[in-house]
């Protein structure tokens, strides 16, 4: 492997365009070496942007900073001596490189899974939501009275911040009027509803009304109590069903981990209201699984329980994304938090870019073909939209 290898070129180009998020080396060539994984990240030091290389072994991490040229030499050396695999994450694409013992390699790209370049030092990395003096985080049991994140709540805190980082990237590319409405469908305990309100009002200094819809009365009461205590005057929670709750005009809709077809109810309401932004993190995928009957050579796919479940997830969310696209939404589907924090980690993020209330016939046809190929009797979101038209 040399300096002009396409993978190295992608690394250099994205670094110079400030679109380099991180690079991870894995799959050890020699099982007994103590290095487990190596991560490259951009690091801003005064006026200079360097590459910070973190070498992790079983007991500790060693961090050293390099210029781009030096880091390329390091990368070449690591790939020659220590690792078979490299994953480059950029704002434009993710690049996957895999070497074989024979010395041959394969390289492929896919749409980006990470959307924020963070050039800060790890130890000064500050999360978007400040835990100090934060009433809702304390009331929800994430922080102590002193504003320290509780030991068992680090993952929750990280997840909330990560979610806000993603929203930040999406909303920064969307024009929303000074006053707008955010609706959170299936708000649950309200972690993400409060966090989004906090971010929009206190960081962005915007003044949207935020409404959480939730089935469970006790959660609604608790969230309203906390909103009052935090003096979040434009935030309220109402008990109701996603499919028929009385709502204001929706500008931003989120439905995070609402169960099964509740996600479809939520997305349908967002589409029908021409919401500018729709964010859905699907939860269980029972509806499609039940109405799916693979036929012919595909029948074997549903022989193994977990594979059937995975297939149902993929098909359910692909069709959701396609329905959104058919109604003029530019749609992305990506992982929004590492799988060790939560298994429910897919986010469908859709931004209305075309003013249409009629589905695109080409995409409709794609959905019909997909359903026919996999023996899906119906998809709830499509059914809901058909009732409407
Ligand atoms: C898994 S929790 C997720 C809570 C929150 N969105 C989050 O991601 O942290 C799902 C919540 O959605 C609520 N829910 C499920 N179906 C609903 C429906 N049809 N209408 C209103 N709320 C619903 C449940 O009661 C539950 O509190």
């Amino acid at each position: 492997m040399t300096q002009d290898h396409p993978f190295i070129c992608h690394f250099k180009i994205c670094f110079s365009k400030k679109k380099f998020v991180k690079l991870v080396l894995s799959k050890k060539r020699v099982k007994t070496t103590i290095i487990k994984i190596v991560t490259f990240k951009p690091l801003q030091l005064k006026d200079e942007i360097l590459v910070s290389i973190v070498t992790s072994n079983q007991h500790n991490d060693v961090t050293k900073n390099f210029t781009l040229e030096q880091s390329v030499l390091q990368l070449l050396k690591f790939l020659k001596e220590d690792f078979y695999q490299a994953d480059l994450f950029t704002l434009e694409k993710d690049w996957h490189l895999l070497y074989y013992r024979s010395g041959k390699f394969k390289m492929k790209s896919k749409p980006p899974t990470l959307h924020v370049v963070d050039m800060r030092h790890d130890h000064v990395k500050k999360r978007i939501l400040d835990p100090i003096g934060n009433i809702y985080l304390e009331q929800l049991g994430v922080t102590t009275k002193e504003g320290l994140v509780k030991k068992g709540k680090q993952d929750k805190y990280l997840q909330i911040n990560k979610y806000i980082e993603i929203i930040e990237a999406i909303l920064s590319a969307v024009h929303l009027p000074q006053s707008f409405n955010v609706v959170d469908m299936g708000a649950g305990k309200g972690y993400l509803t409060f966090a989004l309100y906090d971010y929009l009002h206190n960081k962005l200094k915007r003044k949207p009304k935020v409404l959480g819809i939730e089935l469970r009365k006790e959660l609604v009461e608790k969230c309203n109590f906390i909103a009052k205590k935090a003096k979040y005057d434009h935030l309220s929670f109402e008990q109701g069903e996603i499919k028929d709750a009385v709502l204001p005009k929706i500008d931003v809709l989120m439905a995070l981990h609402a169960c099964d077809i509740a996600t479809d109810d939520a997305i349908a309401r967002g589409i029908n209201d021409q919401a500018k932004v729709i964010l859905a993190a699907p939860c269980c995928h029972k509806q499609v699984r039940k109405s799916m009957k693979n036929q012919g050579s595909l029948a074997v796919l549903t022989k193994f329980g977990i594979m059937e479940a995975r297939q149902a997830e993929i098909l359910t969310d692909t069709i959701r994304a396609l329905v959104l696209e058919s109604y003029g939404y530019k749609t992305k589907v990506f992982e929004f938090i590492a799988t060790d924090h939560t298994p429910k980690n897919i986010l469908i993020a859709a931004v209305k870019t075309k003013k249409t209330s009629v589905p695109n016939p080409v995409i409709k046809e794609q959905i019909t073909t997909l359903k026919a190929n996999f023996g899906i009797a119906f998809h709830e979101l499509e059914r809901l939209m058909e009732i409407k038209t």
Side-chain angles (χ1 to χ4, degrees):
M1 189 180 195
T2 55
Q3 291 263 1
D4 54 8
H5 188 287
F7 188 84
I8 301 287
C9 295
H10 290 308
F11 172 50
K12 287 189 204 162
I13 292 168
C14 72
F15 183 89
S16 54
K17 284 163 73 179
K18 296 194 180 159
K19 291 188 171 176
F20 167 52
V21 181
K22 71 174 177 176
L23 188 158
V24 181
L25 294 168
S26 57
K27 283 213 167 78
K28 294 199 288 185
R29 282 181 180 267
V30 183
K31 285 236 160 23
T32 48
T33 49
I34 57 163
I35 310 176
K36 281 189 2 191
I37 198 164
V38 174
T39 311
F40 289 44
K41 284 191 279 189
L43 174 69
Q44 174 113 40
L45 280 184
K46 295 194 180 137
D47 294 336
E48 201 180 7
I49 300 175
L50 298 174
V51 179
S52 172
I53 303 184
V54 183
T55 309
S56 306
N57 63 42
Q58 213 154 12
H59 306 292
N60 61 349
D61 289 347
V62 179
T63 306
K64 287 186 184 162
N65 303 327
F66 297 92
T67 62
L68 175 63
E69 291 70 29
Q70 291 166 336
S71 73
V72 168
L73 295 177
Q74 291 290 321
L75 178 55
L76 290 168
K77 187 169 178 300
F78 276 128
L79 279 170
K80 185 167 173 231
E81 296 173 6
D82 301 299
F83 295 100
Y84 285 116
Q85 182 172 313
D87 287 282
L88 171 62
F89 299 88
T90 84
L91 294 185
E92 284 172 352
K93 268 182 189 170
D94 291 352
W95 293 94
H96 172 78
L97 173 72
L98 181 66
Y99 266 93
Y100 298 102
R101 278 177 209 282
S102 63
K104 288 194 176 139
F105 71 88
K106 73 169 180 196
M107 193 171 91
K108 55 184 181 186
S109 69
K110 58 179 179 137
T113 46
L114 301 174
H115 301 271
V116 181
V117 175
D118 190 343
M119 298 200 197
R120 292 168 297 175
H121 237 307
D122 274 353
H123 66 266
V124 294
K125 211 166 266 180
K126 209 167 170 304
R127 301 281 163 210
I128 297 182
L129 302 173
D130 195 348
I132 311 283
N134 191 317
I135 293 172
Y136 71 86
L137 282 179
E138 187 210 323
Q139 290 288 321
L140 290 170
V142 178
T143 55
T144 63
K145 276 201 168 58
E146 297 74 35
L148 296 173
V149 179
K150 289 183 185 168
K151 225 174 167 203
K153 294 290 177 184
Q154 296 285 350
D155 279 0
K156 192 83 204 165
Y157 181 63
L158 186 73
Q159 187 191 13
I160 296 170
N161 276 281
K162 189 76 208 163
Y163 177 67
I164 297 299
E165 272 179 34
I166 289 167
I167 290 238
E168 183 175 48
I170 295 167
L171 293 187
S172 66
V174 171
H175 174 74
L176 287 162
Q178 185 54 26
S179 100
F180 58 97
N181 293 310
V182 179
V183 178
D184 184 8
M185 300 289 213
K189 292 182 182 157
Y191 293 104
L192 300 170
T193 338
F194 279 103
L196 183 58
Y197 183 97
D198 184 11
Y199 170 71
L200 291 170
H201 278 253
N202 301 326
K203 295 269 169 196
L204 287 195
K205 306 288 176 206
R206 306 291 307 266
K207 296 274 173 262
K209 284 202 173 111
V210 180
L211 172 64
I213 299 296
E214 169 54 49
L215 269 182
R216 289 187 281 169
K217 187 165 174 252
E218 70 282 9
L219 296 182
V220 171
E221 284 171 357
K222 186 164 183 212
C223 286
N224 277 326
F225 170 80
I226 299 173
K228 208 164 175 198
K229 204 169 165 81
K231 298 198 171 60
Y232 283 2
D233 300 336
H234 290 72
L235 173 62
S236 59
F237 294 82
E238 276 174 29
Q239 188 187 3
E241 274 263 5
I242 292 171
K243 64 173 184 291
D244 56 14
V246 177
L247 302 176
K249 151 89 181 84
I250 310 168
D251 296 297
V252 176
L253 175 132
M254 57 188 206
L256 306 172
H257 309 133
C259 320
D260 196 23
I261 57 166
T263 300
D264 299 303
D265 289 332
I267 296 175
R269 294 204 66 175
I271 296 176
N272 289 332
D273 236 15
Q274 309 248 345
K276 188 76 192 157
V277 178
I278 297 179
L279 301 168
C283 183
C284 31
H285 298 74
K286 294 187 199 128
Q287 184 267 311
V288 164
R289 192 173 177 183
K290 280 187 207 146
S291 81
M292 183 176 81
K293 196 160 178 22
N294 284 359
Q295 282 157 5
S297 60
L298 290 177
V300 73
L301 271 175
T302 46
K303 188 172 160 191
F304 308 100
I306 183 69
M307 294 304 164
E308 184 180 14
R310 295 267 162 87
Q311 186 193 305
E313 284 174 28
I314 292 169
L315 290 166
T316 307
D317 294 333
T318 301
I319 294 176
R320 283 173 176 153
L322 286 172
V323 171
L324 280 158
E325 288 203 325
S326 75
Y327 281 91
Y329 284 84
K330 189 159 192 269
T331 306
K332 289 182 183 170
V333 181
F334 52 89
E335 288 192 337
F336 79 114
I337 193 132
T339 34
D340 45 346
H341 297 293
T342 166
K344 301 172 197 166
N345 63 347
I346 290 288
L347 187 72
I348 301 173
V351 174
K352 182 96 180 161
T353 51
K354 287 188 197 129
K355 267 199 168 182
T356 172
S357 51
V358 182
N360 176 319
V362 177
I363 304 178
K364 252 187 111 150
E365 189 53 38
Q366 286 173 348
I367 298 172
T368 305
T369 309
L370 194 60
K371 285 192 306 183
N373 287 346
F374 286 90
I376 298 171
F378 76 101
H379 185 290
E380 182 63 10
L381 178 57
E382 201 193 19
R383 194 188 67 83
L384 287 169
M385 296 314 298
E386 265 159 19
I387 293 170
K388 175 79 194 2
T389 48

